[in-house]
Amino acid sequence: MSLRSDPFFGLPAFLAAAAAGSFTAAAARLGVSPAAVSQAVKSLEEKLGTPLFIRTTRRVGLTEAGAALLARTAPAAAEIIAAVEDAASVHEPSGLLRLTVPRMAVPLVMEPVVPALRREYPRIAVEVAVEDATVDLSARSFDAGIRIGEYVERDMVAVRLSRDITWAVVASPAYLAARGRPEAPQDLAGHEAIRYRFPNSGALYRWEFERDGRSFSVDPPGSLIVNDGALLVSWARAGLGLAYVADIAVDAELRAGQLVRVLEQFLPTTPGLFLYFPQRTQAQPKLRAFIDLARQVLRPVR
């Protein structure tokens, strides 16, 4: 079959490079050389008559034409991969399960579930990308993701993994001994907050509270800013300031007395962690196996 007559020529390399942001990483994923990926993409660009990537020494980014091609082909490629894996796993779930999860979900979900999954279904390979930013599952070729319920898109199938979250303002005993304990949200003006910056938008998170049935937010002062939840908790534990976190993310620190909750009567409760995925992928045996096992392993927590 000639290059012109083969509609799939170069597409695997294109999709892998688009998802990884690098020809080298795409080559590792495909099991070929970076030169082979680069040549395949170049041939596809020549066939289409337009560049698909903007190349730099460190990274490749999509052109407008590349982004348009990715938007059309990524969902179809996911369907093809799922169909092949379904056909190959009639007797036992198999294939690569790619998940995007926030750092909070690593100890709560990934650490207990994945070892059990590997023992029960050794033919399922697992790739986990730990990132707090919102992710387009199809564009990045993920089978499913885990996020806090309020950030899951409405058109996704969602499976509960944890109890609801009660948000918490926490600090170390040493910090509270030195700076005092805030009694109301307005008292935060006299304290040091450790701020969280959203990875996607770059906006600073405003701390959310409730009083007399009404919600309001506060933009507290703070000279420490981070976009990683684990580092935020570490700094709070070290006595560097107050932190606004999900209670399930600091349960161990609270029980050990390393962190103390304040302003409890003003904090809201929201949906917990959910596994989410497009409806078309829910029949995949590898994903069904993960869901069923996660429900078993996490039942006491849920």
Side-chain angles (χ1 to χ4, degrees), residues 196-240:
Y196 179 82
R197 189 181 296 281
F198 287 107
N200 277 18
S201 67
L204 286 173
Y205 180 67
R206 293 177 60 90
W207 293 11
E208 299 175 6
F209 298 97
E210 292 180 348
R211 178 188 286 145
D212 299 328
R214 292 186 300 175
S215 301
F216 63 98
S217 61
V218 172
D219 197 16
S223 54
L224 289 175
I225 299 172
V226 67
N227 68 351
D228 179 79
L231 184 55
L232 185 147
V233 172
S234 176
W235 282 348
R237 200 168 53 237
L240 301 184

Side-chain angles (χ1 to χ4, degrees), residues 26-193:
R29 180 175 297 174
L30 295 173
V32 299
S33 69
V37 172
S38 179
Q39 183 57 47
V41 170
K42 183 179 178 181
S43 297
L44 179 61
E45 290 176 325
E46 290 175 351
K47 175 184 177 182
L48 299 176
T50 184
L52 301 174
F53 290 100
I54 302 170
R55 297 162 172 82
T56 68
T57 55
R58 294 186 177 183
R59 187 171 176 82
V60 294
L62 290 169
T63 63
E64 184 176 354
L69 180 62
L70 179 65
R72 294 286 300 276
T73 58
E79 283 287 316
I80 293 171
I81 292 170
V84 171
E85 291 179 348
D86 287 353
S89 58
V90 173
H91 301 294
E92 181 182 352
S94 63
L96 175 62
L97 180 66
R98 300 190 70 240
L99 303 171
T100 168
V101 307
R103 189 167 296 278
M104 180 197 309
V106 172
L108 296 173
V109 180
M110 292 295 99
E111 290 180 1
V113 174
V114 172
L117 181 75
R118 292 290 295 156
R119 287 193 299 269
E120 188 75 18
Y121 301 103
R123 293 183 60 191
I124 297 179
V126 181
E127 180 179 346
V128 176
V130 181
E131 49 194 332
D132 290 331
T134 303
V135 173
D136 184 328
L137 297 183
S138 295
R140 296 275 301 277
S141 300
F142 285 111
D143 296 294
I146 296 176
R147 290 294 182 271
I148 293 173
E150 60 184 307
Y151 298 119
V152 174
E153 296 177 5
R154 293 181 180 272
D155 61 346
M156 292 287 172
V157 178
V159 177
R160 178 181 287 274
L161 297 176
S162 79
R163 62 173 174 80
D164 285 347
I165 291 171
T166 297
W167 294 90
V169 176
V170 299
S172 71
Y175 174 89
L176 295 177
R179 299 290 298 270
R181 187 184 185 101
E183 300 298 334
Q186 58 265 29
D187 296 339
L188 294 173
H191 281 268
E192 176 77 10

